[in-house]
Amino acid sequence: MSLFVATIALVIGAALALIVRGNAVRAWLSVVSQAVATVAVLWAALPVLLGAPALETVVHWPAPLGNIRLQVGALDAFFLCFSLPMTLFGAIYALGYLRPAMNTTRHVGAHFGLLNLTSLSFLIIYSTEHSLAFLLGWELAALAAWLLVIWDYENQKIRFAGFNYLVSTHISFLLLVAAFVIGADQMQSNDLDVLGGFLRQDSFLRDVTFVVLMTSFGLKSAFFPFHTWLPRAHSAAPAHVSALMSGVIHKAGIFGMLKFTGMMGTPPAWMGWYVVGFSILSAVMGALYTVSQRDLKRMLGYSSTENVGIAGIGLGLAYLGMTWDRPVLVAIGFTGALLHVLNHALFKCMLFYAAGAVYRMAHTVDLERLGGLRRTMPWTTLFFLIGSLAIAGLPPLNGFVSEFVLYSGLVSDLPPTALDRGLLLAVMALLAFVGGVSALAVVRAFGVAFLGVPRDPNCVAQGEAALLMRVAMGLHLLGVLVVAAMPLGAFALVRAPVVSLLHEHGFAATAPIVFAPAVAFAPVAWALGGLVVAVVVVGLLRRVWVRESVAHRTWGCGYTAPTSRIRCSRSAGMPDSAA
């Protein structure tokens, strides 16, 4: 009933955003309807996420769809419980970001209506067990995202970026159609559970279907080498659209991988290594592309390829754990993947929102023209700094939590042979390399954009971003800090989906297996907590006991004030080809 209320609220909100007068009224009606839908979804899905039985019903529909079975299990509930709230936060951010267009003749309500349709697509994708209805939700998300990307459609480059995204996402759609057609032909049914029976068969056609599904979901999530649409779309789209595409819409691909994983039974070893291989390749290439970018939003876009690769490593570990009959490795892989999906959504949306704030106030995201933003944009500086530390996987922030879980699986003694252990250690080394390159990229971006002095007098921010933009960033910051402060609580959020996936593969979800990732992280959590407390105490004592000192310039090398010509740039120390 609650999901029905959410659906009606989103449809009515989208309609009102189109037909009422006044851009501000249209936008707020859309936001209110999204808030109603979010509350309704959380009311229904949160108990399932915390261990309650799955929600199930059947909708009787005329041919060709027939009876559509709806089900919200623990995995579906996990994706619903962060997708709709974050889309709501994006709509709140859009109220501030699109404020310059509110008093123009532009119909802003259409844009907010598309945000409603994006939330509606999540309801369809994460609740239906019917292949045709699943494809309907998939296509709805693709078309809504395309129209959101081309907000500034008068610019030819933006139209081209939107077209590039539209073509790529429809290739993903056609591959998904092909996989469903093969399954329906083999099983004479459009029910996804029946399709699972085909995926459990050990046959060449099943293996081909697996590769087709992974390619489709890889295109949706922007895995390398299927990422080519991503940098153009992210640099062209409004900041809140880029944030939602990276943090929420892309995650439908990861959901598809996890969902159809649960239908396959015990996969052969090559499937696990296939997923691990293209995931670590995606992480490495995404990181290398990230570090060489001049455009701040393109940099963040490429880092999405890196981070979906990191989540994919967890999925590959789980596959290998199934093959080797190692349920602890399965639990570690699924826990790490799901936690990283959540963490990436939290810090990546915040980073894109901060980049949008920079664009609104400085009118560029070109790192070669920015500088000194911390003086006029202190809140945005704080949001970008914490997001940068989180995305680099540095402790004690949330990115470190999920990556530590994956490291614990890669260095474990669970692989059955020395060759398997050696290969996983090689993956771990590459993942460490990715972490170092990612830290380099975000430190460079933060230092160049926010520290120093402005490099271009035409790109000096005149103040802080709008209040509603800061509210959206603050909500994501709160999520980042909550996971960092209570990491063991974050493990509880993914426990039910992990238990569900273990059961689907025939493993007993006993406490030693399910709690293995949390037990491995617990000593680190206590150590980090003690370190944070110690730093806070020392800082307070220093503030109380140390007298205020007066700083004097002892040696200025002849310079009385820094200028843009003596500041490091983004391309400092890099070859011309990288710059």
Side-chain angles (χ1 to χ4, degrees), residues 2 4 13 30 33 41 53 126 212 267 334 372 383 387 475 481 489:
S2 295
F4 177 75
S30 169
S33 68
V41 166
Y126 300 144
V212 171
F334 282 138
F383 296 135
L475 290 170
L481 295 180

Side-chain angles (χ1 to χ4, degrees), residues 138 172 176 213-221 223 253 256-257 260:
W138 199 266
S172 169
L176 194 57
L213 284 171
M214 287 298 169
T215 304
S216 172
F217 298 138
L219 272 163
K220 186 71 171 180
S221 296
F223 278 83
M257 292 181 179
F260 289 95

Side-chain angles (χ1 to χ4, degrees), residues 536-548:
V536 171
V537 170
V538 169
L540 292 175
L541 292 177
R542 184 179 183 277
R543 192 176 185 87
V544 172
W545 289 346
V546 177
R547 295 181 179 179
E548 184 177 354

Side-chain angles (χ1 to χ4, degrees), residues 97-177:
Y97 187 85
L98 298 180
R99 187 171 61 181
M102 290 294 183
N103 296 322
T104 67
T105 58
R106 184 80 183 269
H107 197 305
V108 178
H111 188 85
F112 282 86
L114 290 169
L115 292 174
N116 277 45
L117 294 183
T118 301
S119 292
L120 180 61
S121 71
F122 298 144
L123 280 176
I124 298 172
I125 292 171
Y126 300 144
S127 65
T128 186
E129 295 294 322
H130 191 284
S131 60
L132 295 181
F134 189 92
L135 289 171
L136 173 64
W138 199 266
E139 179 69 357
L140 181 61
L143 292 177
W146 166 59
L147 293 171
L148 288 168
V149 165
I150 58 171
W151 163 254
D152 291 319
Y153 61 88
E154 294 179 353
N155 187 318
Q156 183 180 3
K157 291 183 178 179
I158 289 177
R159 293 198 303 273
F160 176 76
F163 179 75
N164 192 356
Y165 169 74
L166 186 66
V167 170
S168 297
T169 196
H170 276 86
I171 294 174
S172 169
F173 177 78
L174 291 174
L175 289 171
L176 194 57
V177 169

Side-chain angles (χ1 to χ4, degrees), residues 161-502:
F163 179 75
N164 192 356
Y165 169 74
L166 186 66
V167 170
S168 297
T169 196
H170 276 86
I171 294 174
S172 169
F173 177 78
L174 291 174
L175 289 171
L176 194 57
V177 169
F180 285 168
V181 167
I182 293 172
D185 178 66
Q186 294 294 309
M187 306 304 292
Q188 302 303 309
S189 175
N190 287 317
D191 190 280
L192 293 183
D193 265 0
V194 179
L195 175 63
F198 163 66
L199 293 176
R200 285 188 288 273
Q201 298 174 3
D202 186 7
S203 66
F204 176 75
L205 188 59
R206 187 281 304 265
D207 293 345
V208 171
T209 304
F210 168 81
V211 174
V212 171
L213 284 171
M214 287 298 169
T215 304
S216 172
F217 298 138
L219 272 163
K220 186 71 171 180
S221 296
F223 278 83
F224 183 89
F226 312 121
H227 69 294
T228 53
W229 59 267
L230 178 139
R232 293 187 181 94
H234 280 309
S235 61
H240 56 283
V241 177
S242 297
L244 294 177
M245 289 176 66
S246 180
V248 185
I249 299 174
H250 289 186
K251 300 305 186 293
I254 301 293
F255 170 80
M257 292 181 179
L258 288 163
K259 184 176 184 67
F260 289 95
T261 292
M263 300 178 182
M264 293 190 63
T266 302
W270 72 265
M271 290 186 179
W273 289 116
Y274 174 83
V275 174
V276 169
F278 82 72
S279 294
I280 191 60
L281 177 65
S282 184
V284 170
M285 296 306 297
L288 292 176
Y289 277 119
T290 297
V291 79
S292 63
Q293 296 306 305
R294 173 173 176 163
D295 184 293
L296 185 58
K297 289 181 67 181
R298 285 177 70 95
M299 184 201 81
L300 295 175
Y302 275 118
S303 75
S304 295
T305 294
E306 169 202 334
N307 280 276
V308 294
I310 294 173
I313 291 172
L315 181 60
L317 277 178
Y319 269 77
L320 293 172
M322 298 172 208
T323 303
W324 299 332
D325 195 24
R326 301 291 194 272
V328 171
L329 189 60
V330 177
I332 289 173
F334 282 138
T335 299
L338 288 170
L339 272 180
H340 201 72
V341 165
L342 175 62
N343 289 334
H344 178 248
L346 289 169
F347 56 64
K348 180 54 71 64
C349 287
M350 181 168 65
L351 285 169
F352 267 118
Y353 292 154
V358 169
Y359 178 77
R360 269 286 169 251
M361 305 314 296
H363 311 295
T364 186
V365 286
D366 184 349
L367 291 174
E368 294 290 357
R369 303 176 66 191
L370 293 171
L373 294 175
R374 68 179 180 85
R375 291 180 172 84
T376 54
M377 304 182 71
W379 283 106
T380 301
T381 301
L382 174 65
F383 296 135
F384 195 91
L385 173 61
I386 295 179
S388 298
L389 297 176
I391 200 172
L394 297 178
L397 295 174
N398 63 334
F400 171 77
V401 177
S402 49
E403 291 193 28
F404 180 89
V405 174
L406 297 176
Y407 278 118
S408 69
L410 292 171
V411 302
S412 68
D413 58 356
L414 295 172
T417 68
L419 176 61
D420 294 325
R421 287 193 291 273
L423 289 173
L424 289 185
L425 287 176
V427 173
M428 184 210 68
L430 289 173
L431 185 57
F433 170 77
V434 168
V437 175
S438 176
L440 170 63
V442 294
V443 167
R444 183 192 295 268
F446 177 81
V448 169
F450 291 91
L451 304 182
V453 295
R455 290 166 175 77
D456 188 331
N458 297 319
C459 301
V460 178
Q462 300 301 318
E464 188 55 272
L467 175 61
L468 290 173
M469 296 168 68
R470 283 178 281 152
V471 167
M473 288 187 277
L475 290 170
H476 282 275
L477 175 62
L478 180 62
V480 168
L481 295 180
V482 166
V483 174
M486 297 185 292
L488 300 182
F491 284 99
L493 290 177
V494 302
R495 189 169 300 143
V498 171
V499 168
S500 173
L501 290 166
L502 285 168

